[in-house]
Amino acid sequence: MKITVIGSGYVGTTTAAILAHTAHTAIALDINAERVKAIQAGKAPFFEAGLDNLVAAGIKAGTLTATTSYQTAIPEADIIFSCVGTPDNPDGSSNLDYIYASAQSAAPLFKKGVIFVQKSTVPPGTGEELIRFLLQHTTREFDYVSNPEFLREGTAIEDTLLFDRIVAGSHNLKAAEVILKLYEDIFKHRHTIAKISALDIDGSKLKLHQGQYLPTSLNSAELIKVTANAFLALKISFANSIAKLADQANADILEVMNGIGTDQRIGRAFLNAGRGYGGGCFPKDVSGLISSASNHGIDLSIMKAADELNSSMPGYIANKAKEILGSLEGKKCAVLGLAFKSGTSDARKSPAVKLANILAHDGAIVCAYDPRAMEEASHDLRKDIKLCKSDLEVVKNADAVFVATDWSEFKQADLERYAKNMAGKLFIDCMNMFDVKDVTNHGLRYVGVGRN
Ligand code: NAI
């Protein structure tokens, strides 16, 4: 089949690059010429482990192409995936401008019988409105399927191959089944795709994997996606609220969460306290859900509390440093990590960036380093924050070090060298990823989140 993927971001590029290795052909369509040029040159437009290899191999084989032209990409497509951004408006509601603009460009060029698949995260009810909108802009028959994406940046390819579930919601079950079948094709080719990506994916996991294929109604599919993200955000905020209590009650949040996580009804995943969640999904999906609930007359106060708690975490961590150092005025603070999480160059709404900005606002001299996200983070960082080329350069003469993103290279850092090069002793583990003794053995003072 001929498949066109609109939007060459994290979701769209991964989708197009994977589909290009399943006996179908994929066209990546984006209005951003830089992104299209990168793909044409055989590179992903951003860092995502293994993706360059899939893009390069697809371009070489001719099964993946990229264009900025709707006229080139749409008329022959049997299936169109919409993967454009859905950021938040200033009031927290979902901004669907890109969704409607791309639909408007594509609809007049539809081939008869095309399936238009919405992969972007949208509020429930969007699909039904968009179907009406598409009908105004095309005379051709088409089907509409909501197929929300669950991949995580940093493990996008692995998540696609080792999916928990594929959801396809539609008014037309047959169209949903065509899309589910496409994912069965991806699954059939999973060993080849894993090999081309050169990722170190456990072969036995690939062999034994059994994800679920879930056909649903259109509105349910849309609500499944935002609810899944909201629940994960809730778990993180819950862990952070208990971490604040643990700090006061002299308990260790890791012991507490390990203790409750063994209960199968609760589970351990996402109960990690730290500087909070960020990125291009959780913050806007939470605020979007609050907003769409409110449009339906429902007050989702539980999600408002999660959002508020999350926003408080960078300031909570900065205050810990303030209490220990007396004041941050003129203190040299080293921030290690700016990406919203490890494995990605994405620094959208990163709590690490927010923390660096708070420290600088409070008078600290802030130096920061990230292995991948310096360029992206620089747009949101205060201009008085110095960007360094290595972790050692950042920690030099620092009064306090803040490890703010869980990169493995920080976890494996030579703490002896850090201790020798720092002016002070304060080591703040904003991700709770270090063993306390490993840090204190080097003469550093360890501070975590909920680990007093
Ligand atoms: P992104 O912001 O990285 O990429 C979106 C792309 O769409 C950009 O390259 C932009 O130039 C392009 N675009 C915008 N308007 C266009 C138009 N009219 N025609 C063609 N291209 C257009 O977005 P990302 O992160 O890939 O997310 C896409 C959607 O998937 C969002 O709804 C997001 O919430 C959702 N999602 C994202 C995940 C993630 O980890 N990034 C995971 C799961 C879902």
Short mmCIF file of all heavy atoms in Angstrom, two decimals, residues 6-12 29-32 35 70 83-86 98 101-102 119-121 149-153 225 280-281 284-285 348, ligand 1:
data_model
loop_
_atom_site.label_atom_id
_atom_site.label_comp_id
_atom_site.label_asym_id
_atom_site.label_seq_id
_atom_site.Cartn_x
_atom_site.Cartn_y
_atom_site.Cartn_z
N ILE A 6 1.65 12.61 7.40
CA ILE A 6 1.72 14.08 7.48
C ILE A 6 2.32 14.47 8.83
O ILE A 6 1.80 14.09 9.89
CB ILE A 6 0.33 14.74 7.35
CG1 ILE A 6 -0.41 14.21 6.12
CG2 ILE A 6 0.47 16.25 7.29
CD1 ILE A 6 -1.80 14.83 5.93
N GLY A 7 3.40 15.24 8.79
CA GLY A 7 4.10 15.65 10.02
C GLY A 7 5.31 14.76 10.24
O GLY A 7 5.17 13.54 10.38
N SER A 8 6.50 15.37 10.24
CA SER A 8 7.73 14.58 10.41
C SER A 8 8.38 14.90 11.74
O SER A 8 9.56 15.22 11.81
CB SER A 8 8.69 14.85 9.25
OG SER A 8 8.07 14.55 8.04
N GLY A 9 7.60 14.83 12.80
CA GLY A 9 8.15 14.98 14.14
C GLY A 9 8.51 13.62 14.70
O GLY A 9 8.75 12.68 13.95
N TYR A 10 8.52 13.52 16.02
CA TYR A 10 8.91 12.26 16.66
C TYR A 10 7.98 11.13 16.22
O TYR A 10 8.43 10.03 15.91
CB TYR A 10 8.87 12.42 18.20
CG TYR A 10 9.94 13.34 18.69
CD1 TYR A 10 9.71 14.71 18.81
CD2 TYR A 10 11.19 12.85 19.02
CE1 TYR A 10 10.70 15.56 19.23
CE2 TYR A 10 12.19 13.69 19.44
CZ TYR A 10 11.95 15.06 19.55
OH TYR A 10 12.94 15.91 19.96
N VAL A 11 6.69 11.41 16.21
CA VAL A 11 5.73 10.36 15.88
C VAL A 11 5.73 10.08 14.38
O VAL A 11 5.83 8.92 13.95
CB VAL A 11 4.31 10.77 16.36
CG1 VAL A 11 3.26 9.82 15.83
CG2 VAL A 11 4.27 10.80 17.88
N GLY A 12 5.64 11.12 13.58
CA GLY A 12 5.53 10.94 12.13
C GLY A 12 6.77 10.30 11.52
O GLY A 12 6.65 9.38 10.69
N LEU A 29 5.56 13.71 4.79
CA LEU A 29 5.14 15.03 4.28
C LEU A 29 5.17 16.04 5.42
O LEU A 29 4.54 15.83 6.46
CB LEU A 29 3.72 14.90 3.73
CG LEU A 29 2.96 16.19 3.41
CD1 LEU A 29 3.62 16.97 2.28
CD2 LEU A 29 1.51 15.86 3.00
N ASP A 30 5.93 17.11 5.23
CA ASP A 30 5.99 18.14 6.28
C ASP A 30 6.14 19.50 5.62
O ASP A 30 6.72 19.62 4.54
CB ASP A 30 7.17 17.88 7.23
CG ASP A 30 6.97 18.55 8.59
OD1 ASP A 30 6.91 19.80 8.62
OD2 ASP A 30 6.87 17.85 9.60
N ILE A 31 5.61 20.55 6.26
CA ILE A 31 5.77 21.89 5.71
C ILE A 31 7.11 22.49 6.11
O ILE A 31 7.52 23.52 5.60
CB ILE A 31 4.62 22.83 6.16
CG1 ILE A 31 4.38 22.70 7.67
CG2 ILE A 31 3.35 22.56 5.37
CD1 ILE A 31 3.41 23.71 8.23
N ASN A 32 7.78 21.82 7.05
CA ASN A 32 9.09 22.30 7.50
C ASN A 32 10.17 21.73 6.57
O ASN A 32 10.50 20.54 6.62
CB ASN A 32 9.30 21.83 8.95
CG ASN A 32 10.63 22.29 9.51
OD1 ASN A 32 11.60 22.43 8.78
ND2 ASN A 32 10.66 22.51 10.82
N ARG A 35 13.20 19.80 7.98
CA ARG A 35 12.93 18.41 8.40
C ARG A 35 12.90 17.49 7.17
O ARG A 35 13.43 16.38 7.20
CB ARG A 35 11.62 18.32 9.18
CG ARG A 35 11.75 18.99 10.53
CD ARG A 35 10.65 18.63 11.50
NE ARG A 35 11.14 18.90 12.86
CZ ARG A 35 10.53 18.58 13.97
NH1 ARG A 35 9.38 17.99 13.93
NH2 ARG A 35 11.07 18.85 15.14
N TYR A 70 1.97 18.60 -0.85
CA TYR A 70 0.73 17.81 -0.70
C TYR A 70 0.36 17.18 -2.04
O TYR A 70 -0.13 16.06 -2.10
CB TYR A 70 -0.41 18.69 -0.18
CG TYR A 70 -0.42 18.83 1.32
CD1 TYR A 70 0.45 19.69 1.96
CD2 TYR A 70 -1.28 18.06 2.10
CE1 TYR A 70 0.46 19.80 3.35
CE2 TYR A 70 -1.29 18.16 3.49
CZ TYR A 70 -0.41 19.03 4.10
OH TYR A 70 -0.41 19.13 5.46
N CYS A 83 0.06 13.17 11.76
CA CYS A 83 0.94 13.16 12.95
C CYS A 83 1.45 14.57 13.23
O CYS A 83 2.61 14.75 13.61
CB CYS A 83 2.13 12.23 12.73
SG CYS A 83 1.70 10.55 12.30
N VAL A 84 0.64 15.57 13.00
CA VAL A 84 1.08 16.95 13.23
C VAL A 84 0.97 17.27 14.73
O VAL A 84 0.31 16.56 15.48
CB VAL A 84 0.27 17.96 12.39
CG1 VAL A 84 0.46 17.70 10.90
CG2 VAL A 84 -1.21 17.92 12.75
N GLY A 85 1.62 18.35 15.11
CA GLY A 85 1.63 18.71 16.54
C GLY A 85 0.26 19.20 17.01
O GLY A 85 -0.53 19.75 16.23
N THR A 86 -0.02 18.94 18.29
CA THR A 86 -1.24 19.48 18.91
C THR A 86 -0.83 20.14 20.23
O THR A 86 -1.06 19.57 21.30
CB THR A 86 -2.29 18.37 19.18
OG1 THR A 86 -1.65 17.26 19.82
CG2 THR A 86 -2.94 17.89 17.90
N TYR A 98 -3.03 22.97 13.60
CA TYR A 98 -2.25 22.17 12.63
C TYR A 98 -3.07 21.00 12.09
O TYR A 98 -2.95 20.61 10.93
CB TYR A 98 -0.95 21.64 13.26
CG TYR A 98 -0.05 22.72 13.81
CD1 TYR A 98 0.32 22.72 15.14
CD2 TYR A 98 0.43 23.74 12.99
CE1 TYR A 98 1.14 23.71 15.66
CE2 TYR A 98 1.25 24.73 13.50
CZ TYR A 98 1.60 24.72 14.84
OH TYR A 98 2.41 25.70 15.33
N ALA A 101 -5.42 22.61 9.55
CA ALA A 101 -4.71 23.13 8.37
C ALA A 101 -4.25 21.98 7.48
O ALA A 101 -4.41 22.02 6.25
CB ALA A 101 -3.50 23.96 8.82
N SER A 102 -3.72 20.91 8.09
CA SER A 102 -3.23 19.79 7.26
C SER A 102 -4.41 19.05 6.63
O SER A 102 -4.34 18.63 5.47
CB SER A 102 -2.34 18.85 8.08
OG SER A 102 -3.00 18.44 9.25
N LYS A 119 -3.31 10.14 14.22
CA LYS A 119 -2.38 9.60 15.21
C LYS A 119 -2.06 10.66 16.27
O LYS A 119 -1.60 10.34 17.37
CB LYS A 119 -1.08 9.21 14.49
CG LYS A 119 -0.79 7.75 14.69
CD LYS A 119 0.46 7.36 13.97
CE LYS A 119 0.99 6.05 14.45
NZ LYS A 119 0.17 5.30 15.39
N SER A 120 -2.28 11.93 15.91
CA SER A 120 -2.01 13.00 16.87
C SER A 120 -2.96 12.86 18.05
O SER A 120 -4.07 12.33 17.90
CB SER A 120 -2.20 14.36 16.22
OG SER A 120 -1.30 14.52 15.15
N THR A 121 -2.53 13.37 19.19
CA THR A 121 -3.37 13.31 20.39
C THR A 121 -4.37 14.46 20.35
O THR A 121 -3.97 15.63 20.29
CB THR A 121 -2.49 13.43 21.65
OG1 THR A 121 -1.50 12.40 21.59
CG2 THR A 121 -3.31 13.27 22.91
N GLU A 149 -1.19 7.34 19.34
CA GLU A 149 0.18 6.84 19.45
C GLU A 149 0.59 6.77 20.92
O GLU A 149 0.31 7.69 21.68
CB GLU A 149 1.12 7.79 18.68
CG GLU A 149 2.56 7.41 18.72
CD GLU A 149 2.80 5.99 18.21
OE1 GLU A 149 2.49 5.72 17.05
OE2 GLU A 149 3.27 5.15 19.01
N PHE A 150 1.29 5.69 21.28
CA PHE A 150 1.71 5.54 22.66
C PHE A 150 3.24 5.48 22.82
O PHE A 150 3.73 5.22 23.91
CB PHE A 150 1.09 4.27 23.27
CG PHE A 150 -0.41 4.33 23.34
CD1 PHE A 150 -1.19 3.73 22.37
CD2 PHE A 150 -1.04 5.00 24.37
CE1 PHE A 150 -2.58 3.80 22.41
CE2 PHE A 150 -2.43 5.08 24.42
CZ PHE A 150 -3.20 4.47 23.45
N LEU A 151 3.98 5.71 21.72
CA LEU A 151 5.44 5.59 21.85
C LEU A 151 5.99 6.65 22.80
O LEU A 151 5.35 7.68 23.05
CB LEU A 151 6.12 5.71 20.48
CG LEU A 151 6.06 7.02 19.70
CD1 LEU A 151 6.97 8.09 20.24
CD2 LEU A 151 6.41 6.75 18.25
N ARG A 152 7.16 6.33 23.35
CA ARG A 152 7.85 7.32 24.20
C ARG A 152 9.11 7.77 23.47
O ARG A 152 9.80 6.92 22.86
CB ARG A 152 8.25 6.68 25.53
CG ARG A 152 7.09 6.28 26.40
CD ARG A 152 7.53 5.32 27.47
NE ARG A 152 8.04 4.08 26.88
CZ ARG A 152 8.60 3.09 27.58
NH1 ARG A 152 8.75 3.19 28.88
NH2 ARG A 152 9.04 1.99 26.97
N GLU A 153 9.41 9.04 23.53
CA GLU A 153 10.66 9.51 22.94
C GLU A 153 11.81 8.83 23.67
O GLU A 153 11.75 8.61 24.88
CB GLU A 153 10.78 11.03 23.08
CG GLU A 153 9.85 11.75 22.13
CD GLU A 153 9.76 13.24 22.41
OE1 GLU A 153 10.75 13.80 22.89
OE2 GLU A 153 8.70 13.81 22.16
N LYS A 225 -6.35 7.57 24.75
CA LYS A 225 -5.01 8.18 24.69
C LYS A 225 -4.81 9.22 25.79
O LYS A 225 -3.85 9.16 26.55
CB LYS A 225 -4.80 8.82 23.30
CG LYS A 225 -3.56 9.66 23.18
CD LYS A 225 -2.30 8.86 23.41
CE LYS A 225 -1.11 9.77 23.69
NZ LYS A 225 0.12 9.04 23.94
N GLY A 280 6.71 17.13 25.41
CA GLY A 280 5.68 17.59 24.48
C GLY A 280 4.34 16.93 24.69
O GLY A 280 3.41 17.20 23.93
N CYS A 281 4.21 16.03 25.69
CA CYS A 281 2.94 15.30 25.83
C CYS A 281 2.25 15.50 27.17
O CYS A 281 1.16 16.08 27.21
CB CYS A 281 3.16 13.82 25.57
SG CYS A 281 3.50 13.47 23.84
N LYS A 284 0.72 19.06 28.25
CA LYS A 284 -0.40 19.57 27.42
C LYS A 284 -1.56 18.57 27.38
O LYS A 284 -2.71 18.97 27.25
CB LYS A 284 0.07 19.93 26.02
CG LYS A 284 0.58 18.75 25.22
CD LYS A 284 0.12 18.79 23.80
CE LYS A 284 0.68 17.66 22.99
NZ LYS A 284 -0.28 16.65 22.61
N ASP A 285 -1.26 17.27 27.52
CA ASP A 285 -2.37 16.32 27.52
C ASP A 285 -3.19 16.44 28.81
O ASP A 285 -4.42 16.29 28.80
CB ASP A 285 -1.87 14.88 27.34
CG ASP A 285 -1.35 14.65 25.91
OD1 ASP A 285 -1.57 15.54 25.06
OD2 ASP A 285 -0.74 13.60 25.66
N ARG A 348 11.16 20.37 25.41
CA ARG A 348 9.89 21.10 25.56
C ARG A 348 9.38 20.95 26.99
O ARG A 348 9.31 19.86 27.52
CB ARG A 348 8.84 20.53 24.58
CG ARG A 348 9.09 20.91 23.14
CD ARG A 348 8.04 20.31 22.22
NE ARG A 348 8.27 18.90 21.96
CZ ARG A 348 7.54 18.16 21.11
NH1 ARG A 348 6.56 18.71 20.44
NH2 ARG A 348 7.81 16.90 20.91
P1 NAI B 1 6.35 17.50 16.53
O1 NAI B 1 6.03 18.86 16.95
O2 NAI B 1 7.70 16.90 16.82
O3 NAI B 1 6.11 17.34 14.97
C1 NAI B 1 4.96 17.79 14.31
C2 NAI B 1 5.32 18.05 12.87
O4 NAI B 1 4.14 18.43 12.16
C3 NAI B 1 6.31 19.21 12.68
O5 NAI B 1 7.44 18.74 11.97
C4 NAI B 1 5.51 20.25 11.88
O6 NAI B 1 6.31 20.97 10.97
C5 NAI B 1 4.52 19.36 11.16
N1 NAI B 1 3.35 20.10 10.67
C6 NAI B 1 2.62 21.07 11.29
N2 NAI B 1 1.65 21.51 10.50
C7 NAI B 1 1.75 20.80 9.34
C8 NAI B 1 1.01 20.82 8.14
N3 NAI B 1 -0.03 21.64 7.94
N4 NAI B 1 1.39 19.96 7.15
C9 NAI B 1 2.43 19.12 7.32
N5 NAI B 1 3.17 19.08 8.45
C10 NAI B 1 2.82 19.91 9.45
O7 NAI B 1 5.21 16.57 17.15
P2 NAI B 1 5.30 15.10 17.77
O8 NAI B 1 6.02 15.12 19.05
O9 NAI B 1 5.72 14.14 16.72
O10 NAI B 1 3.76 14.86 18.12
C11 NAI B 1 2.78 14.73 17.11
C12 NAI B 1 1.49 14.32 17.77
O11 NAI B 1 1.64 13.03 18.39
C13 NAI B 1 1.00 15.25 18.89
O12 NAI B 1 -0.37 15.27 18.90
C14 NAI B 1 1.53 14.57 20.14
O13 NAI B 1 0.76 14.89 21.27
C15 NAI B 1 1.36 13.11 19.78
N6 NAI B 1 2.26 12.21 20.47
C16 NAI B 1 3.56 12.54 20.66
C17 NAI B 1 4.41 11.66 21.31
C18 NAI B 1 5.83 12.04 21.57
O14 NAI B 1 6.48 11.33 22.34
N7 NAI B 1 6.38 13.08 20.95
C19 NAI B 1 3.95 10.37 21.80
C20 NAI B 1 2.58 10.10 21.52
C21 NAI B 1 1.76 11.00 20.89
#
